[in-house]
Amino acid sequence: MARKATATKAKTQPNAPQFTNEQDLDAFREMLLIRRFEEKAGQMYGMGLIGGFCHLYIGQEAVVTGITMASEKGKDAQITGYRDHGHMLVMGLDPKGVMAELTGRQGGLSKGKGGSMHMFSNEHRFYGGNGIVGAQVSLGTGLAFASKYKGDGSVSLAYFGDGAANQGQVYESFNMAKLWKLPVVFVIENNKYAMGTSIERAAATTDFSMRGASFDIPGEQVDGMDVRMVYDAAKRAIEHARTGNGPYILEMLTYRYRGHSMSDPAKYRSKDEVTKYRQERDPIEQVRARLLEAGVITEDDLKKIETDIRAIVTEAADFATNDPEPDASELWTDITIEA
């Protein structure tokens, strides 16, 4: 039987910080790009053009958008798990390269060899796309260690889910990060179900912002469906880490509209629950409503943005469909062979 739940208000500051009109417009475009890209990826998966696993970010767009807006692009490092397409798009990676990697083509970010779960860009300081649950937390801590060792002033942003939050290596990483005061922000994207099990059934304590308490790591819960709240909290957390105060935990209370992956029918939750989030909490619609209410933009302007975004996604899909597959010789590149 599907578990019935209601959308709850996140424990956040009573008054949401205000965005400038430019910030709202930027956030709207970024989140809409993620949404339309992921919808297209889902269609292509259904057509058999994308193989393996495919985890969509639909519903969670405000998290990576707000955090990236608060970070220093090109300087701060980001690393996440396998729900990674949105992270790359917001960080400025070419949508054609992202989609081509999904379809396994030579123009993909990993030359078509990594697929949905294994993409990265050293140029943009995006380090995956990691398929092993929780592995990115220790790697993200390592990125923070490198930052402190080199003294480059960068911060590592390590994203992981509520399911991964129960992994042992996460707490080993917390301990090391605090012990060495590493510049890392641990972002827990709590979408309430991990793979298909609700947090109430899988976690003894469901306030994940307190998971660092025994290591003296500060943390806070954030309304991850409101990009303004995400940005505001991320600003504080990143400043905390960048100024030598060590790690910080942000629990983003968010929600995914699709199943864990494209192969998940998500029968463990009710349709009413998903509909409630879509109608009352959707991160994109919140921004759209603010823009219209403020008179910043008209419906025609919004339609123009929508048309432009769809054109970008269509171009990416066409490229990813027609680009050649990698040559067989690529099997021998980018690997380490023991002598």
Side-chain angles (χ1 to χ4, degrees):
M1 179 180 294
R3 175 183 171 271
K4 186 175 178 60
T6 57
T8 56
K9 181 175 176 57
K11 290 195 300 183
T12 55
Q13 297 174 5
N15 298 312
Q18 296 303 305
F19 263 12
T20 65
N21 295 337
E22 184 179 357
Q23 285 176 310
D24 261 337
L25 276 170
D26 288 344
F28 179 78
R29 290 191 183 95
E30 297 285 15
M31 292 192 292
L32 189 62
L33 174 60
I34 296 173
R35 178 73 57 90
R36 299 296 177 249
F37 183 97
E38 294 290 64
E39 289 170 348
K40 177 61 74 173
Q43 292 173 8
M44 295 176 71
Y45 185 93
M47 295 166 63
L49 294 170
I50 296 175
F53 290 97
C54 184
H55 306 80
L56 303 182
Y57 204 61
I58 298 174
Q60 299 183 211
E61 296 93 348
V63 177
V64 73
T65 300
I67 290 175
T68 304
M69 288 175 69
S71 70
E72 292 189 30
K73 276 190 176 183
K75 179 177 181 178
D76 294 333
Q78 297 202 38
I79 187 168
T80 188
Y82 34 72
R83 202 178 306 280
D84 57 352
H85 315 152
H87 297 67
M88 288 177 279
L89 294 173
V90 173
M91 292 187 74
L93 278 77
D94 185 356
K96 296 195 295 293
V98 179
M99 193 70 87
E101 189 59 39
L102 299 185
T103 58
R105 305 307 171 103
Q106 67 179 15
L109 292 176
S110 297
K111 302 178 184 177
K113 300 186 292 184
S116 176
M117 298 196 291
H118 301 94
M119 288 187 252
F120 73 95
S121 171
N122 190 49
E123 176 188 356
H124 291 81
R125 300 220 69 203
F126 178 74
Y127 296 97
N130 294 269
I132 304 301
V133 176
Q136 70 272 24
V137 182
S138 52
L139 294 172
T141 304
L143 289 168
F145 179 83
S147 171
K148 184 166 185 177
Y149 184 81
K150 293 186 292 185
D152 61 14
S154 67
V155 171
S156 172
L157 302 165
Y159 299 77
F160 55 106
D162 47 285
N166 292 319
Q167 287 278 331
Q169 62 190 310
V170 170
Y171 300 95
E172 295 174 17
S173 299
F174 284 0
N175 186 54
M176 294 173 69
K178 180 62 180 183
L179 189 64
W180 296 335
K181 288 192 174 182
L182 301 182
V184 55
V185 177
F186 297 109
V187 183
I188 304 174
E189 298 193 76
N190 180 3
N191 61 28
K192 306 184 187 307
Y193 286 101
M195 289 182 68
T197 305
S198 67
I199 58 173
E200 290 83 3
R201 295 177 58 203
T205 57
T206 57
D207 185 343
F208 292 95
S209 69
M210 298 299 294
R211 289 297 182 93
S214 62
F215 305 100
D216 195 27
I217 299 176
E220 61 181 288
Q221 284 186 325
V222 184
D223 182 352
M225 303 298 277
D226 187 329
V227 69
R228 300 169 303 175
M229 300 302 292
V230 174
Y231 172 85
D232 187 57
K235 272 288 189 185
R236 291 193 301 275
I238 291 171
E239 179 66 13
H240 175 94
R242 201 186 306 280
T243 53
N245 295 305
Y248 202 97
I249 294 174
L250 293 176
E251 180 191 359
M252 295 293 169
L253 299 175
T254 186
Y255 196 80
R256 56 172 164 79
Y257 297 164
R258 302 289 185 92
H260 171 69
S261 70
M262 284 298 296
S263 60
D264 172 19
K267 293 182 178 179
Y268 42 81
R269 57 186 184 179
S270 69
K271 290 182 180 179
D272 289 345
E273 177 182 322
V274 180
T275 299
K276 185 176 180 66
Y277 270 92
R278 278 187 176 273
Q279 292 179 347
E280 299 179 10
R281 305 291 309 284
D282 188 82
I284 298 174
E285 292 305 315
Q286 289 184 53
V287 180
R288 185 195 301 271
R290 286 202 302 272
L291 289 169
L292 289 172
E293 184 179 354
V296 175
I297 203 166
T298 66
E299 286 285 2
D300 287 341
D301 294 328
L302 289 172
K303 289 178 182 178
K304 175 64 167 57
I305 293 173
E306 177 82 41
T307 299
D308 292 344
I309 296 269
R310 287 188 181 276
I312 292 171
V313 172
T314 298
E315 182 185 16
D318 290 344
F319 177 79
T321 302
N322 299 308
D323 192 48
E325 294 183 353
D327 188 80
S329 62
E330 278 295 342
L331 291 169
W332 302 101
T333 65
D334 303 315
I335 59 174
T336 300
I337 300 176
E338 292 288 338

